[in-house]
Amino acid sequence: MIKIVLITGATSGFGKATATLFAQNGHDLIITGRRWNLLEELATELKKVNMIDVMPLCFDIRVKDDVENAIFSLPEKWKKIDVLINNAGLASGLGPIQEGDYEDWEKMIDTNVKGLLYMTRTVAPMMIVNRKGHIVNVGSIAGKETYPNGNVYCATKYAVDSLTKGMRIDLLPHGIKVTQISPGAAETEFSLVRFHGDKQRAENVYKGFQPLKPEDVASVIYYVTTLPDHVNINDLVIMPTAQASSMHFNRTEG
Ligand code: NDP
Ligand code: 8X3
């Protein structure tokens, strides 16, 4: 059955790879992000190659009114969202709490926690009306283990972990599935954003081992959304083979 899948943060990394995989499997997509040129480019490409329908929506997930306007003004067909993938998120900075930058903190809390909440609060009632749906939250290993200097980013991902559990309970009577995917280190724009554009620092994160690729995470997201109706994955941690925990890496390459 063709599904309507809404993916936040589809201009890059996991979101883009996930959009590509769902498109290859014939599903219609709502893709979101702040960079209109990238959304437009991806929408054009996915439509051309896969003969599917794609609705690009450009908005900042931190702005509640913009989230609501974007979703509420969707044409009726697009309001029948089967899968919401709450993927948009970021780390901004990596340093001790006593030196923390307020702007970085607000960015992370507003995006990773409040943005995810705005999306969920807007889309979940539509799923309830449609009597079906699946919400997939992209958490992180950072939401399972706090690591040095990760403080606020880790806290936002612990919040995602807790919210996923809360959503699962609250949406249980409505038959709506809720899943969290918690990846370890993956090479995307993530570290470049975390280090405010410092390429060298970003590259160093992945030195000496094979990190996850965005496609690895996409395939897991696809897997959890294509299980039989009576099966729900609550939580799935996916790591590079060369990473055992937030702090344990096997850096043996080059
Ligand atoms: P990328 O930086 O490659 O992608 C992040 C996406 O989020 C972009 O599409 C970006 O779009 C979007 N986004 C960020 N801020 C906003 C905003 N305010 N409004 C709308 N969209 C926004 O990183 P990843 O693909 O790695 O990250 C995806 C998710 O995975 C995040 O939640 C991240 O925390 C999590 N994660 C990442 C891991 C990693 O090692 N890479 C590991 C574990 C979890 P745009 O800039 O166009 O707005
Ligand atoms: C991103 C992975 O380990 O940098 O969530 O926090 S990590």
Side-chain angles (χ1 to χ4, degrees):
M1 198 193 77
I2 294 172
K3 290 180 182 163
I4 295 181
V5 183
L6 191 166
I7 304 164
T8 67
T11 55
S12 169
F14 301 162
K16 186 175 179 185
T18 304
T20 304
L21 186 56
F22 274 95
Q24 285 162 352
N25 285 279
H27 301 292
D28 290 336
L29 303 176
I30 303 169
I31 54 173
T32 88
R34 288 166 302 178
R35 288 170 286 179
W36 174 248
N37 59 326
L38 297 182
L39 285 174
E40 205 179 23
E41 212 173 272
L42 184 63
T44 307
E45 173 72 11
L46 295 181
K47 277 196 273 193
K48 194 171 71 187
V49 177
N50 304 285
M51 310 281 285
I52 56 158
D53 219 352
V54 183
M55 169 69 77
L57 292 180
C58 190
F59 61 89
D60 188 325
I61 208 174
R62 292 172 294 181
V63 184
K64 179 164 63 65
D65 288 351
D66 291 358
V67 171
E68 289 183 348
N69 286 339
I71 304 302
F72 292 148
S73 58
L74 281 168
E76 280 314 304
K77 162 199 156 158
W78 288 104
K79 286 190 176 143
K80 300 210 164 30
I81 296 163
D82 296 288
V83 182
L84 164 64
I85 302 171
N86 278 321
N87 164 72
L90 81 173
S92 197
L94 179 73
I97 197 88
Q98 64 276 16
E99 292 169 16
D101 181 283
Y102 290 127
E103 211 180 299
D104 281 341
W105 290 0
E106 272 150 25
K107 224 185 266 176
M108 291 187 278
I109 293 166
D110 289 352
T111 311
N112 302 355
V113 183
K114 290 166 73 180
L116 179 141
L117 281 171
Y118 298 154
M119 285 303 303
T120 305
R121 179 66 183 85
T122 308
V123 174
M126 295 174 171
M127 289 179 165
I128 291 172
V129 169
N130 298 335
R131 293 166 192 233
K132 64 181 164 101
H134 192 163
I135 299 175
V136 179
N137 293 331
V138 178
S140 169
I141 188 64
K144 306 282 181 188
E145 305 163 17
T146 304
Y147 51 84
N149 300 321
N151 44 66
V152 175
Y153 178 69
C154 294
T156 65
K157 291 300 183 179
Y158 270 81
V160 173
D161 192 61
S162 174
L163 287 169
T164 305
K165 289 174 186 146
M167 287 180 200
R168 176 90 175 96
I169 295 165
D170 295 348
L171 294 168
L172 182 65
H174 302 285
I176 291 164
K177 296 187 184 193
V178 182
T179 299
Q180 174 174 242
I181 308 291
S182 303
E187 196 161 8
T188 61
E189 290 179 8
F190 177 84
S191 291
L192 197 62
V193 171
R194 165 169 259 174
F195 297 125
H196 308 277
D198 184 335
K199 253 179 143 185
Q200 194 51 58
R201 249 188 117 184
E203 277 169 18
N204 286 344
V205 173
Y206 311 107
K207 274 251 166 75
F209 76 105
Q210 169 71 64
L212 294 171
K213 299 184 195 120
E215 292 74 18
D216 302 322
V217 175
S219 68
V220 163
I221 293 176
Y222 189 76
Y223 166 72
V224 301
T225 59
T226 46
L227 288 166
D229 285 349
H230 69 287
V231 182
N232 186 74
I233 302 280
N234 284 4
D235 196 5
L236 193 155
V237 178
I238 168 173
M239 303 289 279
T241 305
Q243 182 183 9
S245 78
S246 280
M247 294 299 292
H248 293 91
F249 291 84
N250 186 24
R251 294 184 197 264
T252 53
E253 293 170 18

